[in-house]
Amino acid sequence: MSETSFGLDPLMTAEEWMKSGRNVAIATVIETWGSAPRPVGSHLVIDDDGNFEGSVSGGCVEGAVIAEAMDVIGDGKARMLEFGVADETAWRVGLSCGGRIRVFVERLT
């Protein structure tokens, strides 16, 4: 896991990776409550080697989304993920403002 290209549109990156024969999943923020690091509609694309582009949150949340995306690529089953924490534990998991987010992860075909 290492290849990223900062500053590119994650959707364009996904299209480019698919054209080159990579298996790709996309994670999309579909709902937020309270304060969240990334708005609804934010994307993170992940390939089967663990390369990623974009962002859905940051911190441990993003790592968990990448791990789930690898499973989605493997079995083809989409997943709905929800992350939420109390204010006192927010920094530890990457939701610095104590918000909650829901992220949909699906394999692109």
Side-chain angles (χ1 to χ4, degrees), residues 28-103:
T28 305
V29 177
I30 63 164
E31 199 167 15
T32 66
W33 295 268
S35 185
R38 301 287 297 159
V40 170
S42 296
H43 297 289
L44 175 68
V45 295
I46 306 94
D47 74 4
D48 50 357
D49 286 331
N51 299 302
F52 60 94
E53 176 72 38
S55 177
V56 291
S57 179
C60 296
V61 169
E62 204 131 282
V65 171
I66 291 169
E68 288 287 337
M70 299 293 285
D71 291 341
V72 168
I73 290 170
D75 66 19
K77 297 178 183 173
R79 289 168 175 75
M80 183 70 70
L81 310 175
E82 188 170 326
F83 301 93
V85 294
D87 289 342
E88 61 271 10
T89 57
W91 280 105
R92 201 164 10 123
V93 297
L95 290 174
S96 57
C97 301
R100 292 186 298 147
I101 62 172
R102 184 178 291 178
V103 178

